Amino acid sequence: MRQHWHIKPLPPPDDRSEGPDGFVGFALLALIVIGPLILFGHQLGAMETWLVGVYKAVESWLSPVRDWFLG
């Protein structure tokens, strides 16, 4: 006979200290952060230069408005 898990759920898991100690999560986070740096490391300088250029352009466009508002 088939048991219906949504009607009769499984008991809660035991509180064991044998589980992972968080190393797997830390390693996964490091892989997510370090992986793109390794993959795109040679292009980060160009991207940073592009972002600084965009920031300077936006700042030059908004500078007259800021000066008008702040006097």
Side-chain angles (χ1 to χ4, degrees):
M1 179 184 232
R2 185 173 161 192
Q3 286 186 343
H4 297 285
W5 60 269
H6 63 282
I7 297 172
K8 186 177 179 183
L10 296 172
D14 298 339
D15 187 24
R16 298 182 312 208
S17 62
E18 302 156 5
D21 57 351
F23 175 75
V24 174
F26 181 71
L28 185 61
L29 180 65
L31 180 67
I32 289 171
V33 171
I34 303 280
L37 292 177
I38 293 171
L39 188 61
F40 300 110
H42 59 284
Q43 297 172 349
L44 288 177
M47 190 168 74
E48 181 183 4
T49 304
W50 182 80
L51 287 173
V52 169
V54 168
Y55 175 78
K56 287 182 179 180
V58 170
E59 184 183 22
S60 68
W61 296 336
L62 295 178
S63 178
V65 175
R66 182 185 64 204
D67 291 341
W68 184 71
F69 274 123
L70 298 177

